[in-house]
Amino acid sequence: MSEHKVDLSWNRGDRGFEYRQYSRNHQWLFPNGLKFEVSAAAEFLGDTTKVDPEAAFVGSLSSCHLLTFLAICSRKNILVESYVDQAVGFLEKNQEGKLVITRIELHPIIHFGDGINLSRAELEALHKQAEDECFLANSVTTKMETIIH
C-alpha cells in the first residue's frame, strides 16, 4: 500500500575503529528533507545530545498509538482537545538472552471536549482498539500496555 523511506549515513572520519573509538553518530535523512542526528544510547557509547534508535522506536510506537486513537475518536465523534504521553520502553533480555525492547508503557493524559465524560471502561476500550489497529504495534513483538491515569 505504501513505502516509507529513510537514507542513513555514517562516516568513520579520523577516529580509530576499535570498539570504544568509533563514533556512533549518524544521520537519518527523510524524503521531505528533514534530517535527524542520531547516535547510540549513552549506555552503548552514544552521544546523549542526539536521539537514539531505542528512544525513536518508543516514540514511533507512542505516535502510532496516538494517531490511531485520534482516528478512532474522530470516527466516533469524540472530540479530543489534547493528548500527552510519557511513553517508557524497557530494554531487557528476552527468553533467548538477547537484548530487546520487551515492553512499552504508554501513559496518555487526554483532555476531551466539553461535555465528553468517558467511563474508565469506555476509555480502556478506545485504547484497546487503538492498540489493535496501530500499524506499528501490529508489526513488532514488543508488548504495549496503556496505563490509564
Side-chain angles (χ1 to χ4, degrees):
M1 288 183 60
S2 63
E3 292 182 346
H4 305 272
K5 298 178 180 182
V6 61
D7 290 335
L8 180 145
S9 64
W10 173 89
N11 278 299
R12 183 177 63 83
D14 60 358
R15 297 176 78 166
F17 199 63
E18 296 295 321
Y19 182 76
R20 294 198 163 276
Q21 293 176 328
Y22 67 87
S23 174
R24 273 68 175 164
N25 296 351
H26 56 285
Q27 294 179 341
W28 292 339
L29 179 61
F30 294 89
N32 64 1
L34 283 175
K35 185 187 300 185
F36 284 86
E37 298 296 325
V38 186
S39 191
E43 300 86 348
F44 302 102
L45 307 175
D47 182 342
T48 60
T49 67
K50 303 184 180 357
V51 69
D52 67 73
E54 294 83 3
F57 179 75
V58 173
S60 293
L61 284 164
S62 176
S63 288
C64 188
H65 186 88
L66 157 75
L67 295 169
T68 307
F69 185 89
L70 293 176
I72 292 164
C73 287
S74 177
R75 289 190 307 256
K76 293 178 184 254
N77 295 315
I78 301 170
L79 177 63
V80 177
E81 294 289 352
S82 66
Y83 182 116
V84 176
D85 186 14
Q86 294 182 332
V88 180
F90 297 89
L91 183 66
E92 303 168 320
K93 288 189 177 183
N94 66 8
Q95 293 176 343
E96 292 82 34
K98 294 181 179 183
L99 284 174
V100 299
I101 302 285
T102 57
R103 60 192 169 94
I104 294 174
E105 289 181 357
L106 304 178
H107 296 267
I109 298 172
I110 304 161
H111 292 107
F112 295 96
D114 289 339
I116 298 175
N117 297 305
L118 300 177
S119 70
R120 183 174 184 89
E122 290 171 320
L123 193 53
E124 287 173 352
L126 288 171
H127 282 294
K128 174 73 171 104
Q129 185 178 355
E131 185 177 323
D132 289 345
E133 294 180 17
C134 171
F135 307 146
L136 296 181
N138 288 326
S139 301
V140 298
T141 59
T142 302
K143 179 183 178 216
M144 287 182 50
E145 178 182 9
T146 302
I147 311 294
I148 297 175
H149 297 275

